[in-house]
Amino acid sequence: MDCIFCKIIKGEIPSTKLYEDDEFIVIKDVNPQAPVHLLAIPKEHFASVAELDDERAVVVGKMIKKLAEIAKEKGLDDGFRIITNKGKHGCQSVAHLHLHLLGGRQLDEKMG
Ligand code: 5GP
Ligand code: ZN
């Protein structure tokens, strides 16, 4: 499948990996929007939160938990943001679900 994140998961495209288990990986974003900008990506390919079922939702919950742990390890004591984009209006550019962790600076108050 022609999916950048599937290729990263298979090791066909290099990435800086901070965490990996059977269900997901955490990597550095190649084009960081904040001093800390990580991506949590499930190993199963599906497009977005619109494709969640109960099983996938459990994995996404684990991804959020892991990102919060990494944020603590990285000393983001003043806070951080975890987001996921969906579709054109959400500015999703890679159609394989992923969560962004952004932190290390004051983020914009406006979410849009
Ligand atoms: P989206 O816009 O879909 O929410 O986020 C996609 C993210 O993937 C972007 O922040 C972009 O910088 C990142 N990205 C795109 N291609 C690569 C890549 O090859 N490696 C890594 N590490 N990140 C990528
Ligand atoms: Zn994929």
Side-chain angles (χ1 to χ4, degrees), residues 35-63:
V36 176
H37 187 173
L38 306 179
L39 302 171
I41 308 171
K43 289 191 170 177
E44 183 197 0
H45 178 96
F46 57 97
S48 76
V49 282
E51 281 76 34
L52 285 180
D53 56 22
D54 287 353
E55 211 173 315
R56 289 170 174 173
V58 170
V59 177
V60 171
K62 291 178 189 174
M63 288 161 52

Side-chain angles (χ1 to χ4, degrees), residues 7-71:
K7 287 180 181 166
I8 286 175
I9 288 159
K10 283 188 246 164
E12 292 170 10
I13 294 176
S15 67
T16 306
K17 220 176 274 176
L18 283 82
Y19 177 79
E20 176 167 19
D21 65 20
D22 291 348
E23 294 176 314
F24 67 93
I25 60 172
V26 179
I27 62 170
K28 283 191 180 177
D29 196 292
V30 79
N31 182 25
Q33 305 297 311
V36 176
H37 187 173
L38 306 179
L39 302 171
I41 308 171
K43 289 191 170 177
E44 183 197 0
H45 178 96
F46 57 97
S48 76
V49 282
E51 281 76 34
L52 285 180
D53 56 22
D54 287 353
E55 211 173 315
R56 289 170 174 173
V58 170
V59 177
V60 171
K62 291 178 189 174
M63 288 161 52
I64 292 172
K65 180 168 174 271
K66 176 54 69 178
L67 288 177
E69 286 167 9
I70 292 173

Side-chain angles (χ1 to χ4, degrees), residues 3-6 45-48 85 91-98:
C3 168
I4 292 170
F5 289 169
C6 282
H45 178 96
F46 57 97
S48 76
N85 296 322
C91 298
Q92 182 178 12
S93 61
V94 179
H96 179 141
L97 179 132
H98 50 285

